[in-house]
Amino acid sequence: MARFKFLLAFLALLICAAGVSGAFYYWKKFAQPELLVNRHLEGGDGQREKPDLGKRHFDKALGLLKEGELVSGRDLLLYLMDYYPESNTYDEARRVAGELNLDLLISKVPQPGKTQHVVRRGEALVTIARRNSTTIDYIMRANGKTNALIYPDEELTVYPLDFSVEIDLEEGVITVYSDGDFFKEYQVIDTNLPADVAAPVSTSISEKVAWDIDRPVNFSDANYLNCSKWARTGKLGLFIREKSVDSSSGGSAPYGVMVSKSDMEEIFTILRVGTEVRLVN
């Protein structure tokens, strides 16, 4: 009986050995080569590229924009920015959303807070802008005006410009926020700040000035729309201004954070005296 049990155990051992040998042969012959090929196709580490979950929202937003659904397309881009910041489409979504925000603000498209002001006799743009917490430049642009003339009973689009600004020196961007939400971003071209102006700084716009060559002008001047513009903050030496193309003067470079002329025109339009400004690094 003992010999019979030994024989059964020996046969079982042979069967197990044969099974292991067969499994090893299959691994070497078929499974391992297929795994190596798959790893090579997937980038060498066996990790498949993660799907870009934000792209479908980006593509859908572009489709809406092509159909003229500007508000819905913009809102979908903002949704993408909030929930899919890792998406490869994030930067472009941010740029397009900013352009749409400004276009919608300036256009006649209805928005919460956008109203029609009926001009009364004796009113001027400066008083209308002050009473509606907006800027003269916004009223002129939103209503297609090239001069400061207004007439009694004329209807003017107005909007309260309650924005805040963050200047990020490390990223080189000026970001405008509306009630804490992203509105638009502008690229910083150059920076020249006094040595004692170091982030973090919290201040506000204290003055907005338009210059025609060597003299300050106001919105009633014939050359106002073509003037260079800058905004001074309550922090000495911290300006937001357009990058000057005139480098012939021998004087020192002006202080400030510089942007392009077209960007400065937009910034001058939507920021008013009292707008919060944060300098970060």
Side-chain angles (χ1 to χ4, degrees), residues 106 108 116 138-145 155-158:
I106 301 299
K108 295 294 184 180
Q116 296 296 115
Y138 173 79
I139 296 175
M140 293 178 68
R141 289 189 63 172
N143 294 280
K145 288 186 168 293
E155 289 191 357
L156 299 174
T157 298
V158 294

Side-chain angles (χ1 to χ4, degrees), residues 55-93:
K55 189 177 185 306
R56 62 188 179 92
H57 297 290
F58 182 78
D59 292 340
K60 185 177 180 180
L62 292 187
L64 290 170
L65 297 179
K66 289 179 181 179
E67 295 172 0
E69 298 290 339
L70 302 184
V71 176
S72 297
R74 185 276 313 272
D75 289 347
L76 191 54
L77 292 173
L78 294 176
Y79 174 85
L80 184 159
M81 291 164 54
D82 284 340
Y83 292 97
Y84 302 100
E86 75 286 351
S87 173
N88 294 327
T89 63
Y90 177 86
D91 290 341
E92 183 64 7

Side-chain angles (χ1 to χ4, degrees), residues 190 213-214 228 242-254 258:
D190 197 6
I213 306 176
D214 58 353
S228 61
E242 68 181 63
K243 175 69 172 177
S244 175
V245 297
D246 183 11
S247 58
S248 60
S249 62
S252 58
M258 285 67 160

Side-chain angles (χ1 to χ4, degrees), residues 135-279:
T135 67
I136 294 170
D137 292 78
Y138 173 79
I139 296 175
M140 293 178 68
R141 289 189 63 172
N143 294 280
K145 288 186 168 293
T146 58
N147 57 58
L149 295 177
I150 56 175
Y151 307 94
D153 299 325
E154 182 179 5
E155 289 191 357
L156 299 174
T157 298
V158 294
Y159 183 87
L161 300 172
D162 297 322
F163 294 120
S164 63
V165 176
E166 181 180 88
I167 305 173
D168 191 322
L169 297 179
E170 183 176 356
E171 295 294 329
V173 294
I174 297 175
T175 307
V176 179
Y177 295 93
S178 176
D179 293 327
D181 296 325
F182 171 83
F183 182 80
K184 198 170 192 298
E185 188 174 86
Y186 300 93
Q187 294 297 315
V188 174
I189 296 177
D190 197 6
T191 303
N192 183 35
L193 298 175
D196 62 340
V197 177
V201 172
S202 293
T203 182
S204 62
I205 302 292
S206 58
E207 184 182 21
K208 294 167 58 182
V209 178
W211 282 87
D212 182 19
I213 306 176
D214 58 353
R215 65 186 181 94
V217 298
N218 63 28
F219 62 93
S220 63
D221 191 279
N223 294 324
Y224 178 76
L225 294 178
N226 296 319
C227 288
S228 61
K229 298 177 174 69
W230 51 261
R232 180 169 65 87
T233 74
K235 181 66 175 179
L236 188 62
L238 180 56
F239 295 80
I240 304 175
R241 65 198 325 149
E242 68 181 63
K243 175 69 172 177
S244 175
V245 297
D246 183 11
S247 58
S248 60
S249 62
S252 58
Y255 284 131
V257 178
M258 285 67 160
V259 297
S260 69
K261 181 176 179 61
S262 60
D263 284 352
M264 190 64 218
E265 288 289 343
E266 292 183 6
I267 291 172
F268 202 84
T269 296
I270 63 178
L271 302 189
R272 58 191 179 94
V273 172
T275 297
E276 176 188 352
V277 177
R278 299 183 303 275
L279 181 69

